[in-house]
Amino acid sequence: MAGETWLGWILVAGMAVIAFFTRAVFVLPGSRFRLPTTAERVLRYAPAAALMAIIVPGLALTHGALAISVENPRLLAGLVAFAIAATTRNVMLTIVGGMSALTAIRVLGG
C-alpha cells in the first residue's frame, strides 16, 4: 500500500519536472531555441481557440443538448457580448453588456 502512494508522488513529481523543462527551454538564459515562423504564427491563435473551447459549450448547450435557438438566453446574451466586443474592444464593457443582456432576456422572457 505504501509503495503505491510513493509511486503516485514520484509520477506527479516527474510530470512536474517534464512540464517545467518543456516550457523553460524558451526562457532559460542562453537558450537559442527558436520556433519556426509558421509555428509562431499559428500559436498566436491558441489563446483565442482555448477561450472559445471554454465559452461556446456554455452558450450552445443546455442540459447537455445542443440548444441553438432564440429561446436560449445564454446564446443571445453571448451574441450581444460578441457584438459589443467586436465594436468597442473594451473588455469591461463587453462583460457588463453581456451580463446586462442576459439579465434583461431572463427578466423579460419570464
Side-chain angles (χ1 to χ4, degrees):
M1 194 73 156
E4 292 177 13
T5 303
W6 281 106
L7 178 64
W9 282 111
I10 290 171
L11 288 173
V12 168
M15 288 186 292
V17 168
I18 290 170
F20 173 77
F21 282 112
T22 57
R23 289 160 177 82
V25 73
F26 296 105
V27 293
L28 287 175
S31 175
R32 300 198 190 326
F33 182 72
R34 294 267 311 155
L35 287 173
T37 56
T38 305
E40 286 182 2
R41 190 175 67 239
V42 169
L43 285 175
R44 280 190 228 139
Y45 298 105
L51 190 60
M52 292 304 290
I54 294 169
I55 292 174
V56 169
L59 296 178
L61 297 177
T62 302
H63 303 294
L66 192 62
I68 299 179
S69 70
V70 181
E71 296 173 358
N72 184 351
R74 289 180 295 168
L75 181 61
L76 294 176
L79 292 173
V80 169
F82 178 78
I84 293 170
T87 56
T88 66
R89 301 236 185 241
N90 184 329
V91 174
M92 188 56 73
L93 187 61
T94 300
I95 293 169
V96 170
M99 290 306 293
S100 299
L102 180 61
T103 302
I105 292 167
R106 285 187 173 170
V107 168
L108 296 176

